[in-house]
Amino acid sequence: MSRDEIYRQSQSFLDDFGFGESVATVFDDMLERSVPFYAELQRMIAEMAGDFAMPHTRIYDFGCSTGTTLIGLDQAIGPRGLTLVGVDNSQEMLAKCRAKMAGHAFANAVELTRADLNQGVVMENASLALMILTLQFVRPLYRDRLVRAIHDGLEENGALVLVEKVLGESSLFNRSFIKYYYEFKKRNGYTELEIAQKREALENVLVPYKLAENLEMLESAGFRYVDVFFKWYNFVGIVAVK
Ligand SMILES: C[S@@+](CC[C@H](N)C(=O)[O-])C[C@H]1O[C@@H](n2cnc3c(N)ncnc32)[C@H](O)[C@@H]1O
């Protein structure tokens, strides 16, 4: 796995963060060192998928990146005649995903699609949708519409599993959660400069909502049951059932 050193050197001009070749190349290392409990989150998602993935339906992973979630899920739940659909708008991510998936013998069918989630989604016969650290990159203007489209695209009793970075409910906790998060990144080998430059590059690209705002968005989209299955300072995992 290539090490993430994208923001190691001081950069006089910082481009907005994007999911091109340089990020795709180091992405797995970036997530392991930047997302608290990333491996446990993936295990929990696969565990929940085991309960929601109805045989002979389709499972959508919106923002599939390098395919970590779909690979883990397939291994955890085994053959069910499913079609696992990975959706991402980054060609470079999808290329890495294809290469990584080639190293796995899938028990279910797999499809990869390039699409922009700002434009909505196409879903059929879906028992489960996943959006892991991806809704936060969808333009706020389109988020409600997208979540509603995912709800409408799911079969009855189908589920959406959402993982997001969130704002604290008050500015007091927001500040301390961010401080603890940067301490976590330092423990994982990122320097102050790397953390500061990445934060600046992500500004206006990753737009987090509060947990309460995410819950309200899911409820108003029509999900009948909504609950938090994971919370670590400014990271949250939510499961919602139609
Ligand atoms: C933080 S990564 C997701 C990580 C991945 N789900 C995982 O658990 O390993 C966000 C992904 O969403 C994709 N993405 C961002 N904006 C998008 C959009 N508007 N449409 C489709 N994909 C998008 C990016 O290309 C990237 O691969």
Side-chain angles (χ1 to χ4, degrees):
M1 192 191 302
S2 307
R3 191 165 172 87
D4 169 23
E5 296 192 329
I6 290 179
Y7 296 105
R8 194 89 184 164
Q9 306 302 327
S10 174
Q11 296 176 24
S12 47
F13 180 80
L14 272 171
D15 267 335
D16 278 350
F17 187 85
F19 294 95
E21 182 62 30
S22 57
V23 168
T25 303
V26 300
F27 193 69
D28 287 356
D29 176 67
M30 180 185 282
L31 281 206
E32 271 185 25
R33 293 198 292 131
S34 308
V35 178
F37 294 97
Y38 181 67
E40 174 61 8
L41 269 168
Q42 292 294 340
R43 192 202 63 75
M44 291 171 87
I45 294 161
E47 185 166 69
M48 286 186 284
D51 283 338
F52 288 111
M54 292 299 124
H56 309 290
T57 62
R58 294 163 76 82
I59 295 181
Y60 291 83
D61 184 9
F62 297 116
C64 64
S65 299
T66 63
T68 304
T69 309
L70 289 181
I71 291 169
L73 183 154
D74 181 79
Q75 284 174 337
I77 66 186
R80 283 194 197 176
L82 301 165
T83 302
L84 311 180
V85 187
V87 180
D88 208 289
N89 68 345
S90 159
Q91 217 157 332
E92 293 84 356
M93 281 293 184
L94 288 173
K96 299 284 171 207
C97 185
R98 219 164 269 122
K100 199 158 110 184
M101 283 180 160
H104 291 266
F106 274 86
N108 298 283
V110 186
E111 284 176 15
L112 294 180
T113 306
R114 186 166 181 220
D116 180 2
L117 295 168
N118 288 306
Q119 311 285 321
V121 284
V122 178
M123 294 167 74
E124 54 171 304
N125 187 26
S127 59
L128 178 64
L130 310 167
M131 278 199 113
I132 313 306
L133 300 159
T134 298
L135 188 59
Q136 59 197 20
F137 290 105
V138 170
R139 291 185 59 194
L141 183 64
Y142 302 130
R143 271 187 218 180
D144 279 308
R145 191 183 69 183
L146 174 62
V147 169
R148 199 173 292 271
I150 292 174
H151 169 272
D152 295 350
L154 284 166
E155 296 296 313
E156 217 50 37
N157 301 314
L160 167 63
V161 175
L162 189 65
V163 176
E164 286 278 283
K165 207 167 173 184
V166 289
L167 297 172
E169 298 296 321
S170 68
S171 52
L172 172 81
F173 289 124
N174 195 49
R175 264 195 302 277
S176 37
F177 289 178
I178 289 170
K179 183 180 76 180
Y180 305 144
Y181 175 54
Y182 291 156
E183 291 304 321
F184 161 84
K185 291 189 74 167
K186 280 192 227 163
R187 289 196 298 280
N188 284 342
Y190 286 111
T191 63
E192 301 254 7
L193 177 67
E194 282 179 292
I195 294 169
Q197 293 194 130
K198 174 126 182 243
R199 183 188 56 206
E200 203 178 319
L202 278 170
E203 196 117 12
N204 304 321
V205 178
L206 190 172
V207 183
Y209 283 6
K210 291 177 178 174
L211 167 57
E213 292 168 335
N214 279 301
L215 295 175
E216 198 192 315
M217 183 168 49
L218 291 162
E219 276 157 10
S220 39
F223 285 98
R224 288 183 301 143
Y225 304 101
V226 180
D227 212 337
V228 172
F229 69 90
F230 174 90
K231 180 90 164 71
W232 185 95
Y233 296 132
N234 53 343
F235 284 80
V236 68
I238 304 171
V239 58
V241 174
K242 178 168 173 174

